[in-house]
């Protein structure tokens, strides 16, 4: 009996102790894990809750909970007026959303993949991007276009193209590409709050991946600045600049390179437009070598733009020519072996980094 | 394709009655009786006896609203003992007779008008929205003003003073009457031939001319080519060149108005050619599905640059397309200021009270060339142009009616015309002498706030212009 009483007293006194245990746990950097999917979903949920002008549009975003379940639960929570399932017409619903943005509400348009945004690209470029300028500031377009971009797995040519370079070349747009869950939350929130049109390029294969998130990231006011890249891994021998899924590949490549005594600095670009030229240049001035990595087609790509920026501003600092790693210059094939050869692999990045360091790659 | 018959009188009455019709399908026996079944599936033939007596040769057949689908029910047997098909989207009556709906039209949808060519009210016509003296005089004055502005500005382009211009000859009533029928809270999305609407709303001659000259007083900051006007103050969305993009955008704006529960609608203009764009389909379909309060006004002027409507579509014009989307539609004489006014008033009431889109096809010949880059005598006869210019001029027609009412005189006419001419000449003179926009305006409004790269670019550009001023035109203001 005394034992039970003592146990009960212990339980009670334990309850009285402030939750130091859980606080300690949350201060740990690897405390919570969050998938990209949940990160995007929570960001949408919080922004819709905070601003009644925000609404979602797209195919299957409502009843189906989203083609990739990114908008899960939002129809139930916010109702059909704010989560609109649209007929199959990218041109149509993009035009409708642009018009709504002209009026002053804040649409978040989902493309099932950015490949289908081609059917709406006139509304994105000629209307959304240019209207603020053409109307001399009278009509702003606070719209976000989001969806999976780039290669998935085994989906063939019309479902695998990366549109970062296409959209990033157009003045008037802002173009973002998150890598981690922190990126996904912070950048999507920033995009929704931004008064300019934003193209938000996600990646289908990353949706299920988990990343550690701090309490700060989980806070509903969390926001990342648009136009700033992030140094994911500090290094001194070579700069590897990448975006979206390729950041993960670059980090893996950096691990391999470390074993060979090459200390790589990995930059997560986060923002294609505006491009964080100052950070990239500062990094290259430190390391003197650059490898750019993208899954997209090589010609006129993000890597080409970064290379031009380095040549213009930090030419004297380069100790080796810039290396570009990109997807093969062919429409994406379907067969698994061919597909693997058409996209960059970690080994390609490792070899490129070694080349910049004048190491033998054989 | 089914023929539609409508009584020419009481057209507006029909439109008003439409709103009260829940669902009513009438099988009509047409001329020759070749067509016995309801046009649209979803109407149980039980609603109406098969042999509907043909009262006059133009039996009406209205199918206003699509059959709203209900929860699946047991198969219902109608009077004839036929079963219905219970299908997603609503019940459909079966038939044992295989019959294609004709692709061509027996009789075209007639065109609503109030005034005859002589400016007299059509006998037997009724139910048009009455226009008082003040409104009529303003409508008429603005039509004259538009005509004179177009004449002068076209000339100015020919003289090399401006680079480009588009006239509205023949379509003065088609653009000013709609604006007169709307309120200032209704948002207009133009195609590019609707300066009449902006003129009605108070855009001044000086503002028009400044935009064409692209000077520093241009509200558009010299960003756009001539006639690409825009003014959020006047609820007139900036003209965007790609054709028909404004149609789904209009549906979006209307949906937002609906979410805000505003007592206003959106009016989107499109030409006959623009209805071929994919955005026409998307815009109308979406507006119908979203139940958005938007009026689509198609200015069918017979020509899309050099493409006549016979090459544009094979349907009975644009009015018949509305029904395909579940949108009530009307065809109206675009040269008749009063008819257009009435039709738009009715359309606005329908759009706002019933929260639904409406389609208005207005027929008014394009008297002028497509633009100053076009010479339409190359693809159409001078006789045709001359006929529409003199015998069917909307401005003349309306003046006759206004004069018949005793509201306008020769003296008023002379005074008005000389006043406008004087104002225009002054406006052109002032606009020509005004500086072009300063360098800063190259970089503003790309984004809400100028990004660092543009700030840098501007600084660099100033330095370059200052250093190599001889390489740059002298009228580049650095302020």
């Amino acid at each position: 009996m005394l034992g039970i009483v003592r146990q009960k007293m212990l339980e009670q006194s334990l309850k009285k102790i402030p939750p130091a245990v859980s606080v300690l746990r949350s201060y740990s950097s690897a405390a919570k894990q969050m998938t990209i999917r949940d990160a995007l979903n929570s960001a949408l949920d919080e922004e819709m809750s905070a601003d009644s002008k925000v609404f979602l549009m797209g195919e299957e975003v409502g009843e189906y909970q989203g083609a990739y379940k990114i908008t899960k639960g939002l129809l139930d929570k916010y109702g059909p007026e704010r989560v609109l399932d649209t007929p199959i017409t990218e041109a149509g619903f993009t035009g409708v959303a642009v018009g709504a943005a002209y009026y002053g509400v804040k649409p978040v348009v989902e493309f099932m993949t950015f490949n289908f945004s081609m059917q709406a690209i006139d509304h994105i470029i000629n209307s959304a991007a240019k209207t603020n300028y053409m109307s001399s500031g009278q009509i702003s377009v606070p719209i976000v276009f989001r969806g999976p971009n780039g290669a998935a797995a085994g989906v063939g040519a019309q479902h695998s193209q990366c549109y970062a370079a296409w959209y990033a070349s157009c003045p008037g747009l802002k173009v973002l590409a998150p890598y981690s869950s922190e990126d996904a939350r912070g950048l999507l929130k920033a995009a929704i709050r931004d008064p300019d049109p934003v193209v938000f390029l996600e990646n289908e294969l990353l949706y299920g991946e988990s990343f550690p998130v701090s309490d700060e990231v989980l806070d509903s006011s969390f926001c990342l600045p648009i136009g700033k890249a992030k140094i994911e891994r500090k290094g001194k021998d070579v700069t590897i600049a990448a975006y979206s899924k390729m950041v993960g590949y670059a980090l893996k490549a950096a691990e391999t390179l470390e074993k060979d005594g090459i200390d790589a600095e990995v930059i997560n670009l986060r923002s294609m437009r505006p491009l964080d030229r100052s950070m990239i240049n500062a990094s290259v001035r430190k390391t003197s070598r650059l490898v750019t990595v993208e899954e997209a087609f090589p010609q006129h790509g993000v890597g080409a733009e970064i290379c031009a920026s380095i040549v213009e501003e930090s030419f004297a600092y380069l100790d080796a020519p810039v290396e570009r790693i990109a997807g093969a210059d062919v429409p994406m094939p379907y067969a698994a072996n061919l597909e693997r050869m058409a996209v960059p692999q970690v080994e390609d990045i490792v070899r490129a980094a070694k080349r910049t360091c004048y190491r033998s790659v054989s | 394709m089914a023929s539609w018959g409508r009584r020419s009188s009481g057209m507006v009455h029909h439109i008003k009655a439409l709103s009260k019709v829940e669902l009513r399908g009438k099988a009509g026996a047409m001329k020759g009786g070749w067509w016995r079944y309801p046009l649209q599936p979803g109407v149980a033939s039980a609603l109406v006896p098969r042999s509907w007596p043909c009262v006059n040769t133009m039996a009406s057949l209205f199918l206003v609203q699509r059959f709203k689908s209900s929860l699946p029910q047991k198969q219902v047997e109608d009077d004839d003992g036929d079963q219905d098909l219970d299908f997603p989207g609503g019940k459909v009556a079966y038939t044992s007779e295989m019959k294609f709906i004709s692709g061509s039209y027996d009789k075209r949808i007639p065109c609503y008008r109030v005034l005859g060519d002589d400016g007299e009210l059509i006998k037997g016509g009724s139910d048009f929205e009455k226009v008082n003296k003040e409104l009529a005089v303003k409508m008429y004055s603005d039509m004259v003003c538009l005509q004179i502005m177009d004449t002068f500005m076209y000339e100015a382009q020919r003289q090399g003073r401006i680079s480009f211009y588009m006239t509205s000859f023949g379509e003065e009533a088609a653009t000013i009457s709609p604006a007169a029928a709307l309120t200032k809270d209704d948002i207009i999305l133009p195609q590019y031939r609707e300066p009449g609407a902006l003129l009605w709303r108070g855009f001044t001659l000086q503002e028009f001319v400044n935009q064409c000259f692209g000077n520093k007083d241009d509200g558009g900051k010299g960003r756009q080519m001539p006639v690409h006007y825009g003014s959020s103050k006047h609820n007139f969305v900036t003209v965007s060149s790609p054709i028909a993009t404004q149609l789904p955008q209009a549906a979006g704006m209307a949906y937002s108005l609906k979410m805000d529960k505003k007592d206003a609608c959106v009016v989107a203009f499109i030409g006959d050619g623009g209805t071929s764009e994919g955005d026409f389909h998307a815009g109308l379909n979406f507006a119908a599905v979203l139940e958005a309060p938007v009026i689509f006004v198609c200015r069918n002027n017979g020509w899309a640059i050099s493409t006549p409507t016979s090459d544009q579509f094979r349907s009975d014009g644009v009015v018949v397309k509305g029904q395909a989307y579940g949108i009530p539609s009307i065809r109206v004489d675009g040269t008749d200021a009063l008819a257009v006014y009435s039709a738009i008033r009715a359309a606005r009431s329908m759009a706002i009270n019933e929260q639904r889109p409406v389609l208005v096809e207005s027929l008014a010949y394009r008297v002028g060339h497509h633009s100053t880059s076009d010479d339409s005598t190359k693809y159409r006869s001078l006789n045709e142009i001359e006929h529409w210019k003199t015998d069917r001029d909307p401005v003349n027609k309306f003046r006759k009616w206004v004069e018949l009412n005793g509201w306008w005189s020769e003296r008023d006419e002379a005074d008005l015309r000389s006043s406008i001419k004087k104002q225009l000449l002054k406006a052109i003179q002032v606009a020509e002498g005004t500086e072009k926009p300063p360098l800063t305006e190259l970089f503003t409004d790309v984004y809400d706030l100028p990004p660092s790269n543009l700030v840098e670019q501007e600084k660099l550009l100033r330095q370059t212009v200052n250093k190599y001023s001889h390489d740059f035109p002298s009228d580049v203001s650095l302020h």
Side-chain angles (χ1 to χ4, degrees):
Chain A
M1 167 102 170
L2 202 57
I4 294 171
V5 169
R6 207 178 284 155
Q7 195 177 13
K8 278 215 157 63
M9 279 173 64
L10 200 60
E11 274 175 332
Q12 296 208 349
S13 44
L14 269 174
K15 278 196 187 125
K16 284 200 191 105
I17 297 171
V21 178
S22 45
V23 164
L24 279 171
R25 209 182 283 150
S26 63
Y27 280 165
S28 151
S29 59
K32 279 217 175 75
Q33 294 278 319
M34 194 180 218
T35 61
I36 300 278
R37 182 175 282 117
D38 289 339
L40 294 169
N41 183 274
S42 60
L44 287 170
D45 192 352
E46 286 161 23
E47 292 306 302
M48 287 180 81
S49 170
D51 186 349
S52 59
K53 288 207 174 100
V54 178
F55 74 100
L56 308 183
M57 278 185 95
E59 293 153 5
E60 310 301 321
V61 295
E63 291 282 353
Y64 196 72
Q65 311 297 321
Y68 298 98
K69 306 291 178 262
I70 306 298
T71 50
K72 187 167 178 206
L74 297 176
L75 174 64
D76 283 338
K77 191 167 176 186
Y78 296 101
E81 277 207 344
R82 290 184 68 194
V83 180
L84 271 71
D85 274 325
T86 66
I88 307 180
T89 163
E90 278 69 19
F93 65 70
T94 307
V96 168
V98 169
Y102 285 177
Y103 179 83
V105 292
K106 296 182 181 177
V108 178
V109 177
E110 174 175 307
F111 290 115
M112 210 176 272
T113 91
F114 265 92
N115 295 269
F116 306 152
S117 73
M118 295 295 97
Q119 296 182 289
I121 200 167
D122 179 80
H123 282 292
I124 301 172
I125 303 290
N126 274 331
S127 290
K130 298 179 185 173
T131 291
N132 195 47
Y133 190 72
M134 293 192 317
S135 72
S136 65
Q138 292 178 60
I139 303 177
S140 76
V141 195
I143 194 171
V144 175
F145 303 104
R146 53 157 292 273
N149 174 63
V155 288
Q158 295 172 328
H159 293 74
S160 307
Q161 188 165 342
C162 172
Y163 290 90
W166 284 40
Y167 289 118
S169 71
C170 182
L173 289 178
K174 291 182 175 161
V175 181
L176 305 174
Y179 162 63
S180 64
S181 298
E182 178 184 324
D183 289 354
R185 269 184 63 82
L187 293 177
L188 185 54
K189 279 163 164 296
I192 294 173
R193 295 178 200 176
D194 199 291
D196 295 312
V198 181
V199 173
F200 193 80
L201 305 170
E202 302 158 6
N203 187 289
E204 190 198 321
L205 296 177
L206 285 179
Y207 282 150
E209 265 196 48
S210 285
F211 293 83
V213 282
S214 67
D215 276 350
E216 193 202 338
V217 172
L218 292 172
D219 189 73
S220 64
S221 64
F222 178 66
C223 204
L224 283 173
I226 292 180
K228 290 265 166 289
K230 181 187 179 196
I231 297 181
E232 294 283 347
R233 180 190 193 281
K234 268 186 134 48
K236 56 174 176 50
D237 293 331
V238 59
T239 301
I240 307 179
Y243 62 93
S244 190
K245 191 153 123 264
M246 292 292 112
V247 175
Y249 280 37
L251 287 169
K252 287 208 190 80
E255 278 170 30
T256 310
L257 288 165
E258 196 176 18
K259 297 197 193 84
D260 285 320
I262 297 177
D263 186 21
E265 176 152 287
V266 176
I267 296 183
N268 171 6
L269 290 171
R270 281 183 169 173
S271 176
M272 255 36 65
R273 177 182 264 273
L275 193 59
D276 195 348
R277 291 165 212 273
S278 56
M279 185 188 285
I280 304 168
N281 274 281
S283 172
V284 172
R285 286 178 183 210
K286 185 175 67 173
T287 63
S288 311
R289 297 161 217 281
L290 174 63
V291 176
T292 68
V293 189
E294 62 204 294
E295 249 184 344
F297 300 137
Q299 190 165 341
H300 304 302
V302 173
E305 177 63 30
I306 294 175
C307 182
S309 172
I310 298 298
V311 164
E312 282 162 9
E313 296 182 46
S314 309
F315 181 66
Y317 293 81
L318 281 173
D319 281 351
V322 174
E323 291 269 348
R324 271 188 305 170
I325 297 294
D329 201 19
V330 300
M332 183 71 73
Y334 167 74
N337 63 327
L338 296 179
E339 187 184 43
R340 193 185 184 281
M341 311 244 280
V343 288
Q345 302 299 330
V346 175
E347 298 74 31
D348 296 317
I349 307 174
V350 170
R351 277 192 291 268
K354 282 187 174 165
R355 278 194 299 269
T356 63
C357 298
Y358 297 112
R359 298 287 197 83
S360 149
V361 297
S362 53
Chain B
M1 189 68 158
S3 314
W4 291 55
R6 288 181 207 185
R7 298 195 301 278
S8 54
S9 63
M11 183 66 258
V12 171
H13 176 73
H14 267 299
I15 295 284
K16 283 179 181 152
L18 280 181
S19 55
K20 301 187 191 91
V21 173
E22 263 280 270
L23 167 75
R24 209 167 292 157
K26 296 179 188 167
M30 307 311 289
K31 261 199 283 207
W34 55 264
W35 188 73
R36 282 152 55 214
Y37 288 91
L39 169 64
Q40 194 164 70
V43 179
S45 53
L47 289 173
V48 155
R50 279 266 175 80
S51 51
W52 185 258
C54 192
V55 176
N56 50 35
T57 51
M58 300 205 292
S60 343
L61 182 83
F62 274 145
L63 286 157
V64 181
Q65 225 171 324
R66 289 182 57 214
F67 201 109
K68 287 218 162 72
S69 85
S70 49
L71 292 165
Q73 292 163 3
K74 289 208 301 273
Q75 296 268 327
V76 169
E77 293 210 359
D78 68 3
D79 289 353
D80 290 6
D82 285 346
Q83 282 181 315
D84 285 342
L85 169 59
D86 205 358
F87 197 79
K91 282 220 179 69
V92 178
Y94 276 115
T95 171
S96 307
E97 189 176 333
M98 182 176 74
K99 198 101 201 168
F100 282 76
I101 301 172
S102 169
S104 56
Y105 34 88
D106 211 30
K107 207 171 176 82
R108 302 192 58 180
I109 305 288
C111 180
Y112 172 59
R113 68 168 176 174
V114 171
L115 295 176
D117 285 332
D118 50 3
E120 300 240 5
L121 290 173
I122 299 290
K123 293 276 186 299
S126 63
D127 269 39
F128 68 94
E129 281 278 341
K130 303 293 186 284
V131 167
N132 65 16
K133 175 179 176 182
E134 193 190 332
L135 190 61
V137 167
K138 177 160 164 46
M139 280 166 73
Y140 178 70
S141 310
D142 279 358
M143 283 164 70
V144 171
C145 186
L146 177 60
Q147 231 179 27
I148 297 178
M149 178 174 84
D150 278 352
T151 313
F152 274 60
M153 295 308 285
Y154 187 90
E155 217 20 62
Q157 192 277 344
R158 282 290 177 256
Q159 292 170 9
R161 293 169 195 254
I162 56 174
S163 65
F164 178 81
Y165 195 74
M166 294 175 99
T167 60
S168 304
F169 296 135
E171 303 188 59
E172 296 85 353
T175 52
I176 287 173
S177 281
L182 301 169
T183 71
K184 60 175 172 51
D185 294 324
D186 300 318
I187 305 171
I188 294 180
L189 278 98
Q191 178 60 71
Y192 48 51
R193 211 184 292 278
E194 298 87 12
L198 191 51
L199 180 67
W200 175 269
R201 286 192 164 179
F203 211 60
T204 64
L205 284 175
Q206 190 67 63
E207 285 176 299
F208 277 111
V209 177
N210 283 339
Q211 197 282 332
C212 289
F213 278 88
N215 60 35
K216 79 166 179 10
D217 291 331
D218 169 24
K221 298 181 189 170
R223 299 272 168 73
Q224 294 250 60
M225 38 185 299
V227 308
H228 286 59
Y229 312 109
S231 173
S232 57
K233 187 173 89 175
H234 298 98
N235 263 332
F236 188 90
V237 174
T238 310
V239 172
S240 168
S241 306
I243 304 284
T245 54
Q246 69 277 12
L247 298 181
Q249 290 166 5
M253 285 193 111
Y255 185 73
S256 310
L257 272 178
K258 188 182 157 101
M259 288 212 300
D260 265 4
K261 298 193 174 33
K262 281 259 168 74
D263 177 24
C265 69
V266 172
V267 177
F269 284 88
I270 187 71
D272 44 286
T275 65
S276 296
E277 282 278 358
D279 273 344
F280 175 79
H281 166 76
L284 266 68
N285 192 38
F286 243 103
V289 168
L290 290 174
E291 294 171 10
V294 49
I295 307 174
F296 294 105
V297 181
C298 175
R299 285 182 301 96
N300 181 345
N301 60 21
W303 296 91
I305 308 189
S306 69
T307 307
T309 49
S310 54
D311 283 347
Q312 198 69 248
F313 36 66
R314 287 297 154 86
S315 54
D316 171 17
V318 175
V319 64
V320 292
K321 298 186 194 219
Q323 197 194 32
Y325 299 102
I327 295 178
S329 335
I330 186 174
R331 169 174 280 156
V332 69
D333 180 355
T335 63
D336 182 344
L338 291 181
V340 176
Y341 182 80
S342 289
I344 300 290
R345 289 285 291 175
R348 180 179 190 276
S349 165
M350 226 190 312
I352 293 177
N353 296 332
E354 297 168 50
Q355 291 291 298
R356 69 183 310 172
V358 183
L359 172 65
V360 177
E361 179 186 18
S362 124
L363 304 180
Y365 190 86
R366 190 195 81 207
V367 169
H369 308 303
H370 166 72
S371 72
T372 48
S373 311
D374 174 46
D375 174 11
S376 61
T377 58
K378 292 249 167 358
Y379 51 80
R380 53 186 191 174
S381 77
L382 282 162
N383 287 340
E384 183 182 301
I385 304 172
E386 204 48 44
H387 166 70
W388 283 93
K389 186 171 176 178
T390 45
D391 303 337
R392 316 286 286 268
D393 179 34
V395 184
N396 284 341
K397 182 154 67 177
F398 195 53
R399 181 177 66 246
K400 287 180 190 153
W401 182 76
V402 177
E403 278 172 348
L404 279 170
N405 279 316
W407 295 340
W408 197 252
S409 67
E410 289 281 338
R411 185 62 200 278
D412 294 323
E413 182 76 16
D415 286 346
L416 177 70
R417 285 184 183 263
S418 83
S419 159
I420 293 172
K421 280 179 190 150
K422 228 182 9 225
Q423 283 178 60
L424 254 172
L425 283 169
K426 179 85 193 291
I428 293 174
Q429 194 181 30
V430 168
E432 237 175 349
T434 308
E435 267 188 328
K436 294 292 184 239
L439 205 94
T440 351
E441 301 302 3
L442 186 59
F443 298 100
T444 52
D445 306 319
V446 181
Y447 296 98
D448 187 51
L449 298 169
S452 58
N453 68 315
L454 285 186
V455 170
E456 216 181 287
Q457 265 186 50
E458 189 185 337
K459 207 168 68 186
L460 218 67
L461 184 56
R462 276 180 200 284
Q463 282 170 12
T464 313
V465 172
N466 272 321
K467 190 165 178 190
Y468 304 106
S469 49
H470 48 271
D471 284 343
F472 289 89
S474 53
D475 64 353
V476 173
S477 160
L478 291 175
H479 302 299

